Amino acid sequence: MATHKVITTDADIDLALKMPDDLRAVSAGRDLDMLILKLNDGSRHLIPRENIEGLQNATRAQIAHVEIIGHGTGIQWPELDLDLYVPALLESVYGSKRWMAQLGRRGGMAKSQAARANAERRLLQARGGAGVEPTSARAT
């Protein structure tokens, strides 16, 4: 049986259990490649499946088998040996530090590409070429 690193401590769980007004999961499901997390206040949070460490390569059947654990403080996919802490998900923490760094780099690359294209577009406009498409946006 595979082992996994426990990120949530007993103290975290005890603290969550002591706060009855804290937001807790009441259901979790999947639609359109999004995790839909419904909370006890009626709100829903949509999280792209590919952003969650451990779900990116899971099958639809594996993802569909999700359970609420810890009085709503966690969600679990037994077939994937994956447990997630709901308060962390609400803070946009979708995996380990390494995973989150990879997500940040992916987002940073997209932002950098957009920033380069915008800078090039502004430069072309300043030179009087308002209708010219930046080279970074042209098809190769």
Side-chain angles (χ1 to χ4, degrees), residues 35-104:
L35 170 67
I36 303 169
L37 191 61
K38 182 179 176 186
L39 303 179
N40 59 343
D41 68 350
S43 66
R44 287 178 173 79
H45 293 264
L46 303 171
I47 305 168
R49 175 196 51 81
E50 67 272 6
N51 285 359
I52 300 174
E53 185 176 23
L55 290 185
Q56 67 277 9
N57 295 318
T59 66
R60 288 178 182 249
Q62 289 172 319
I63 293 171
H65 186 205
V66 60
E67 299 173 359
I68 304 296
I69 59 173
H71 302 284
T73 61
I75 54 178
Q76 174 183 66
W77 286 267
E79 294 175 25
L80 300 171
D81 194 26
L82 177 63
D83 301 336
L84 298 174
Y85 186 50
V86 171
L89 292 173
L90 298 177
E91 294 292 324
S92 301
V93 177
Y94 306 133
S96 65
K97 287 182 182 182
R98 179 180 288 175
W99 178 258
M100 294 305 295
Q102 287 174 348
L103 282 181

